[in-house]
Amino acid sequence: MKNMFTDDFERAELQELDKKHFLHPTSSIEQLQERGPTFIFAEGQGIYLKDMDGRTIIDGLSSLWNVNMGHGRQELGVAAMEQMSSLGFSSCFANFSHKPVIRLAAKIAQLTPGDLNTTFFTSGGSESNDTAFKIVRHYWILKGQPEKKKIISRKKSYHGVAMGATSATGLKPFRDFTNSLAPDFFYVDSFSPESLRDMIEKEGPDTIAAYIAEPVQGTGGVLPAPKEYFKEVRKICDEYNILFIADEVITGFGRTGKYFGIEHYGVTPDLMSIAKGITSGYIPLGGVVLSERIHQELIELSSGMFLHGYTYSGHPVACAVALKNLELIEQERAVENARTMGTHMLKGFEQLQQKHEMVGEVRGLGLMGAIELVKDKTTNERFAQPAAPMVVSEAMKRGLICRGVLYEGADTLVFAPPLIITEQQIEEMIDILHDSLTAVGKEIGLKL
């Protein structure tokens, strides 16, 4: 009884300390103060997380799309410990270097498509996209075209929360969070090459530095691009002498059933932003990968300092963990598993679509998936009040974490389980979703 009392006391203490001292990222401040933290997690293993009360729950979103190789991978902890024991940190400024960052940069060049060959390292996705914007603008300055500074992104896109990344994000609520955005960012329709062309013509191609896009829009609701979309985009960028940035922060390192999402579309960008899955989230790391052409032009045109760098660019421990993580991805054939299990997950969604009146369109690419919730399948009419939060709540009660996307009128459930998931575990997810949808359907009075 003493241990139980101690656990109850500690739980209550942590809840109050959390409410008083921790400002949570991308969370409801009001909800935290009313209810305390949703979970206080204590451990994780594979696709599962366990909280302080001993409840086990499926991590159906890989936490933040990033725990690709699952929780509890001791190999990654060992890699971090060994690197910390020899060289915990060393700056990469002033051309200082170390073995892990050199090996990782070479490994990334081996994995990335086309001539993407050289990496600038950051601590995460927002920094990666801000870096990409600075690099392309610096590139055009070196080329004698400083007026080429505008960045075009897509509506419903998400590129991060640093100032440039926020300004590039096409989801308006993220931009509305602040009242002084960075200038020279523009937005086009998500899947219309002609919308991109029209924006280029309107603003003038001599003023546009780059176009950025996620191969699959994640936070926007898991929206894969149409098959030919990026081929048309690549042609337009080449025609108007505009650089193409692929934001692979979510889609990189196996998530879509290929190492990088853009590989599904048969084109190579000029720059690629990476993060998340490169370390499976075990330690912060990101980067921007440059094409051989861009890198060579920077070499030829640069003089003096390249005045951009973060304290933790090329952190040796992060690089060592990334190298071990990439080794695990290869050894366990995680990319192939994502492709195969993604097919099973989508089939499960289609079964739910047949069984539930409120399940509209289902879609996915690899282990990224989405379920649209509708009041009427024939008209695609939405509920007056979104149903996704209700389903998310019911799913959590039954042991599954997923996310509801409500931006710009959406009512969508999104999923991205770890790449190591099995067919049996996917069936477990689908069973929980079936029960959750049934419960919500009864509550809102749908015919079952």
Side-chain angles (χ1 to χ4, degrees):
M1 292 298 294
K2 183 177 180 181
N3 287 340
M4 184 177 295
F5 175 81
T6 302
D7 289 344
D8 288 344
F9 178 81
E10 184 183 21
R11 186 187 308 106
E13 179 191 29
L14 288 171
Q15 288 173 340
E16 290 307 310
L17 289 172
D18 190 299
K19 290 162 64 174
K20 185 175 182 179
H21 297 296
F22 182 21
L23 184 61
H24 284 249
T26 314
S27 303
S28 168
I29 296 176
E30 179 183 20
Q31 182 176 315
L32 178 70
Q33 295 307 312
E34 289 176 356
R35 307 178 198 173
T38 309
F39 293 102
I40 301 178
F41 287 118
E43 59 183 272
Q45 189 65 44
I47 72 163
Y48 301 100
L49 290 165
K50 186 177 287 187
D51 72 1
M52 285 189 67
D53 297 320
R55 292 179 295 176
T56 298
I57 190 162
I58 297 171
D59 186 358
L61 203 69
S62 296
S63 289
L64 283 175
W65 321 83
N66 61 338
V67 187
N68 284 16
M69 292 305 291
H71 299 278
R73 300 305 300 246
Q74 294 186 9
E75 307 96 319
L76 301 182
V78 170
M81 180 188 69
E82 290 178 349
Q83 184 58 47
M84 286 181 183
S85 299
S86 58
L87 180 67
F89 178 73
S90 176
S91 167
C92 291
F93 286 31
N95 291 329
F96 293 2
S97 201
H98 51 77
K99 184 177 177 179
V101 75
I102 296 169
R103 292 294 187 197
L104 181 58
K107 184 63 178 178
I108 292 169
Q110 177 189 336
L111 295 176
T112 46
D115 67 339
L116 292 164
N117 207 30
T118 302
T119 301
F120 178 99
F121 287 102
T122 71
S123 297
S126 293
E127 284 187 1
S128 294
N129 284 326
D130 266 33
T131 293
F133 303 146
K134 288 183 74 174
I135 287 176
V136 297
R137 285 167 168 167
H138 179 67
Y139 169 84
W140 289 117
I141 290 171
L142 293 179
K143 297 274 285 184
Q145 297 177 266
E147 68 281 1
K148 284 178 76 71
K149 58 184 180 178
K150 296 174 183 175
I151 307 292
I152 298 176
S153 62
R154 297 190 291 168
K155 297 173 183 176
K156 296 190 178 181
S157 66
Y158 177 82
H159 299 293
V161 293
M163 187 53 71
T166 294
S167 302
T169 291
L171 293 164
K172 192 171 180 292
F174 287 93
R175 304 198 307 272
D176 290 344
F177 179 80
T178 184
N179 62 359
S180 185
L181 295 168
D184 297 318
F185 287 88
F186 300 84
Y187 319 97
V188 296
D189 292 341
S190 290
F191 301 133
S192 169
E194 286 308 309
S195 179
L196 173 60
R197 184 182 293 275
D198 290 345
M199 180 64 75
I200 292 169
E201 292 285 354
K202 177 184 176 183
E203 294 298 320
D206 291 340
T207 70
I208 298 169
Y211 162 84
I212 184 170
E214 306 154 273
V216 181
Q217 291 183 325
T219 304
V222 181
L223 301 167
K227 185 177 180 181
E228 299 299 319
Y229 174 77
F230 283 112
K231 288 182 180 178
E232 292 301 315
V233 162
R234 178 75 268 184
K235 290 178 185 176
I236 290 169
C237 288
D238 290 342
E239 178 183 344
Y240 290 104
N241 198 23
I242 293 167
L243 299 181
F244 172 27
I245 306 165
D247 181 347
E248 295 266 7
V249 170
I250 288 176
T251 52
F253 304 101
R255 172 59 55 192
T256 66
K258 291 183 181 290
Y259 262 101
F260 298 95
I262 202 67
E263 293 181 89
H264 289 278
Y265 300 96
V267 300
T268 301
D270 300 295
L271 300 91
M272 177 186 287
S273 300
I274 56 174
K276 293 189 183 290
I278 191 171
T279 64
S280 287
Y282 279 65
I283 194 166
L285 183 67
V288 180
V289 193
L290 312 180
S291 70
E292 182 67 17
R293 178 178 70 86
I294 298 297
H295 185 218
Q296 287 302 316
E297 289 192 77
L298 288 177
I299 292 171
E300 294 166 7
L301 297 172
S302 294
S303 61
M305 287 284 185
F306 181 81
L307 287 173
H308 179 68
Y310 302 102
T311 298
Y312 298 119
S313 290
H315 193 293
V317 179
C319 291
V321 172
L323 282 165
K324 176 55 70 171
N325 182 65
L326 296 178
E327 181 183 311
L328 293 175
I329 289 174
E330 290 183 347
Q331 288 177 348
E332 299 181 17
R333 301 178 64 83
V335 181
E336 293 87 341
N337 194 64
R339 185 163 56 247
T340 303
M341 292 302 109
T343 299
H344 287 300
M345 186 171 73
L346 188 56
K347 285 180 180 177
F349 292 168
E350 290 168 349
Q351 292 168 5
L352 294 173
Q353 187 181 46
Q354 294 170 4
K355 294 176 181 178
H356 293 275
E357 183 181 346
M358 66 190 300
V359 175
E361 180 188 356
V362 298
R363 57 183 176 267
L365 186 63
L367 282 172
M368 293 182 74
I371 296 173
E372 297 281 354
L373 301 179
V374 295
K375 184 177 180 180
D376 188 326
K377 289 185 183 183
T378 58
T379 64
N380 204 35
E381 179 187 355
R382 303 284 183 176
F383 293 101
Q385 295 294 325
M390 300 170 67
V391 179
V392 168
S393 179
E394 290 294 333
M396 282 197 295
K397 293 177 188 176
R398 291 165 171 80
L400 171 65
I401 294 173
C402 58
R403 178 187 288 183
V405 170
L406 309 179
Y407 308 116
E408 299 180 8
D411 194 0
T412 308
L413 302 170
V414 299
F415 306 85
L419 309 190
I420 60 170
I421 196 168
T422 65
E423 188 172 350
Q424 181 179 350
Q425 290 168 336
I426 285 174
E427 290 172 1
E428 186 181 356
M429 281 180 54
I430 299 301
D431 288 343
I432 292 172
L433 284 169
H434 170 67
D435 292 343
S436 302
L437 290 162
T438 300
V440 172
K442 287 180 180 178
E443 184 174 344
I444 61 181
L446 289 179
K447 295 178 182 179
L448 300 174

